[in-house]
Amino acid sequence: MLLTGVLGLSLSGCAGFLVPAGEGEPEPTPSVPRLPGGVHADKLPTPFPSVSTRLPDRPPAAQGPAPTPTVPAGCPSSGVVVGMGEVEAALGHRAVGLTLTNCGSKPYRVHGYPSVRALDEAGDPLPVPVNPGSSYMGSDPGPKEVMLKPGETVRSLLAWVSTPTGGDLIEGDALEIAPAPGLEARTFPLKGSDVRLLDELNMTAWRTGPA
């Protein structure tokens, strides 16, 4: 009887410490998933900030090779053209200025004398000697190399004797002139009866100063 009373007292004393399940206990720690390799998911680095997906501007398109310079219309393929001025007279002598102009788009090397021939009325060459050098109408200092820029001009002086009393002269109808032997020539008519009388032709070298 006494044991029963003690047991009942013990149970009644413990009743004051009993609490419903889940009350007064700490919250359970949530489990963190473990990634392969032993890395916890909560230890992953912070995601990178957003990056613009705008593509960089394209570089300017590469330019192709520079176009090949072209010879202006009316300019020979050589890039130079000859001209002839008015014939001048002095005591039975005749002289005419010749020009060589760079009509192309790049520099042109000039060295030497023009190429000159006298022609008859049919355009055939006449047996008139052509001599490089000085004459009564002008002196020849000799050839000198010149690098002719586009648009620049060099000059030469062509001279001959032309008088009815000058001896055995040949009557020419035109002069064929080229910058140099083998280059494209131009034909210039000789006007006037006394101008057309030729004994021999003397010419100075191409020069940058006055002919």
Side-chain angles (χ1 to χ4, degrees):
M1 184 67 177
L2 179 57
L3 179 58
T4 303
V6 174
L7 182 58
L9 180 60
S10 299
L11 293 174
S12 62
C14 293
F17 295 96
L18 296 177
V19 293
E23 294 186 9
E25 297 181 4
E27 292 289 335
T29 303
S31 61
V32 178
R34 185 180 296 273
L35 300 177
V39 180
H40 289 279
D42 61 343
K43 299 301 184 180
L44 291 175
T46 305
F48 291 105
S50 61
V51 179
S52 173
T53 57
R54 180 178 179 270
L55 296 177
D57 296 334
R58 290 185 178 182
Q63 296 182 353
T68 303
T70 57
V71 177
C75 183
S77 58
S78 61
V80 288
V81 63
V82 292
M84 189 178 87
E86 295 293 330
V87 178
E88 299 181 4
L91 300 175
H93 296 269
R94 301 291 180 264
V96 63
L98 308 181
T99 59
L100 170 61
T101 302
N102 184 349
C103 58
S105 55
K106 55 184 179 181
Y108 185 87
R109 177 180 173 272
V110 179
H111 184 265
Y113 295 82
S115 174
V116 180
R117 293 195 305 177
L119 306 178
D120 62 17
E121 58 182 358
D124 297 323
L126 292 171
V128 176
V130 181
N131 308 313
S134 301
S135 67
Y136 177 83
M137 301 294 283
S139 61
D140 176 33
K144 181 180 180 181
E145 181 174 319
V146 177
M147 189 60 67
L148 205 59
K149 297 179 181 179
E152 290 185 337
T153 298
V154 288
R155 295 169 175 82
S156 173
L157 184 68
L158 182 67
W160 64 94
V161 173
S162 181
T163 172
T165 60
D168 188 13
L169 303 180
I170 297 176
E171 189 173 62
D173 281 82
L175 295 177
E176 181 186 77
I177 302 169
L183 295 183
E184 184 175 346
R186 295 180 64 189
T187 301
F188 300 89
L190 290 173
K191 301 176 181 179
S193 58
D194 60 338
V195 169
R196 296 169 58 190
L197 296 175
L198 311 169
D199 62 338
E200 62 180 13
L201 299 172
N202 296 278
M203 59 187 177
T204 62
W206 292 118
R207 64 178 73 176
T208 55

